[in-house]
Amino acid sequence: MVKPPEKRDPLSILADDPRGRSLGLDLPPGGVIRRPGRRRKGKAPEPLLWVSDDAVGAGALAAHRGPQLAAAGLQAVLLQDRPGLERWWQDREFMPERMSDPDDHHVEPVLREFWGRVVPDPEEGEEGEEIIAPFGRDWPGLAVAAPSDGPDVPDPQAAACELADELVEHGHLPAPRLALVPARRGADVPTALGWAGPTNYENDTALISVVLRSWEDRFGARLVALGFDELHLSVAVPPPTTARALPVAAEHFALSPDNIWQGSGSIRAYTDEAVTGSGHWSFWWD
């Protein structure tokens, strides 16, 4: 009996066919970036992701989030430079071998542990209490999920592509590169890459992916862009009222406390500024 040919890794195909024509793609000029590490037995390290050579404009994400890419097992995301850290993705900033498997974790315990890290010490008194009000030191629990279907529920992928265009056109992502990453879903991209953006807060990016998975399921969130230490999500169904948004803001604080510590100053203020009705959630880690 003749064995069927082995299915090649899509990045190995892109290493030989950088425009992706054999995968039914029409990519801009680009190439694969290989995993950090030494060559073994004369072989180059395995490919980790494909990245465009030049910046892409509005419409690029929409053009490359089609069925061909999904069939190839790839996820499209934008990578953004930072002044002084241009092309950071080429400088061994990825450590996939250090990450655990998101399947081994559950969102509630992850966020509860994060919350325990960031709630102010009781010695901070009223000032500390004001940061997390209306919540106390105990983990408040997961926010209620938004409706997942119905005539008024936007398509999450369409919302992601629309946000990507807005961020490019308004200068929030002034020179993004298109990147393709092998992952089952967008939330898993940071873990598949071994992205080190939140390393000063959490070394295991799988825990970040667990939270992103939950937001995908509960709010139609989709990963749009990664920077050196920042992350941008589109949100198809954001919480429409302050009451619904406050528990979501608590989750944001647990995941990325710098959003509040070095930004809004309190969960209440952050809720109104960045969560209620917002189709763009962004996070950064100092």
Side-chain angles (χ1 to χ4, degrees):
M1 183 175 178
V2 179
K3 292 178 65 176
E6 283 190 23
K7 186 176 180 180
R8 289 185 68 194
D9 171 71
L11 290 181
S12 296
I13 296 174
L14 290 177
D16 299 327
D17 174 21
R19 304 298 292 270
R21 303 280 166 71
S22 57
L23 293 173
L25 306 175
D26 185 17
L27 300 173
V32 300
I33 292 177
R34 298 184 178 274
R35 289 174 176 263
R38 298 179 179 178
R39 292 173 177 264
R40 295 183 179 179
K41 298 181 181 179
K43 294 183 179 180
E46 294 180 359
L48 182 62
L49 72 161
W50 177 97
V51 182
S52 65
D53 290 337
D54 300 312
V56 296
L61 198 64
H64 297 97
R65 278 201 171 179
Q68 292 90 347
L69 201 70
L74 295 168
Q75 299 289 333
V77 66
L78 301 178
L79 301 182
Q80 179 57 50
D81 284 332
R82 196 175 82 177
L85 289 167
E86 290 77 10
R87 296 178 182 257
W88 52 268
W89 50 87
Q90 295 181 337
D91 295 328
R92 309 172 71 86
E93 294 293 342
F94 298 124
M95 298 174 284
E97 71 283 351
R98 298 188 182 181
M99 308 306 165
S100 64
D101 187 338
D103 289 343
D104 293 337
H105 308 281
H106 299 282
V107 65
E108 181 108 39
V110 167
L111 282 172
R112 183 185 298 113
E113 196 275 330
F114 284 171
W115 179 262
R117 292 185 195 176
V118 301
V119 291
D121 191 280
E123 294 180 359
E124 295 185 38
E126 292 184 6
E127 184 177 350
E129 292 174 2
E130 184 59 28
I131 292 174
I132 58 174
F135 306 107
R137 292 183 56 78
D138 292 338
W139 162 240
L142 292 180
V144 175
S148 59
D149 53 28
D152 297 326
V153 176
D155 174 65
Q157 287 293 6
C161 296
E162 182 178 346
L163 176 65
D165 290 350
E166 291 177 6
L167 295 179
V168 172
E169 292 169 348
H170 296 165
H172 298 293
L173 297 175
R177 306 298 197 280
L178 176 69
L180 306 183
V181 182
R184 286 182 297 168
R185 54 195 292 182
D188 291 352
V189 165
T191 302
L193 289 176
W195 179 60
T199 193
N200 289 336
Y201 180 65
E202 174 54 57
N203 290 322
D204 186 1
T205 314
L207 303 185
I208 307 299
S209 286
V210 169
V211 178
L212 300 188
R213 283 181 174 188
S214 182
W215 289 345
E216 282 185 349
D217 297 338
R218 285 186 287 146
F219 305 107
R222 295 293 184 270
L223 179 63
V224 170
L226 289 173
F228 175 76
D229 56 3
E230 64 186 72
L231 180 153
H232 297 269
L233 301 177
S234 63
V235 188
V237 196
T241 65
T242 298
R244 293 284 296 272
L246 274 166
V248 179
E251 295 185 22
H252 286 205
F253 180 47
L255 181 78
S256 178
D258 286 325
N259 278 27
I260 289 171
W261 284 342
Q262 301 188 46
S264 303
S266 72
I267 286 179
R268 286 189 191 276
Y270 177 79
T271 299
D272 294 334
E273 293 172 9
V275 182
T276 307
S278 175
H280 175 208
W281 294 351
S282 62
F283 305 90
W284 67 285
W285 293 264
D286 193 358

